[in-house]
Amino acid sequence: DVPAGLVEGMISVIIPAYNEERALPVTLQDARMAIELISAMYYSSRTRQVVDLPLGPDHPYYHGWIV
């Protein structure tokens, strides 16, 4: 379940920025870095290994978590 107000809050920022052709508050690079951090944390918790960022294409979780 999504907490009440979360989606409305996101939409209230994203839609006006899109309509007014302003930059969105979160970039694709921001999203990529967040997913990369979560991937590293998930891998580290499963393997008990330190993970260096950024993840390289040779990292087991670079392309996804299902291995």
Side-chain angles (χ1 to χ4, degrees), residues 37-47 61 65:
L37 177 60
I38 292 166
S39 297
M41 292 168 62
Y42 186 58
Y43 183 82
S44 180
S45 73
R46 293 194 72 187
T47 64
Y61 283 16
W65 299 337

Side-chain angles (χ1 to χ4, degrees), residues 6-26:
L6 178 63
V7 173
E8 293 86 355
M10 291 175 14
I11 290 173
S12 72
V13 173
I14 293 172
I15 298 297
Y18 179 79
N19 288 337
E20 297 166 15
E21 298 182 7
R22 290 184 282 120
L24 295 175
V26 176

Side-chain angles (χ1 to χ4, degrees), residues 54-67:
L55 297 181
D58 58 329
H59 191 275
Y61 283 16
Y62 183 81
H63 296 287
W65 299 337
I66 301 173
V67 280

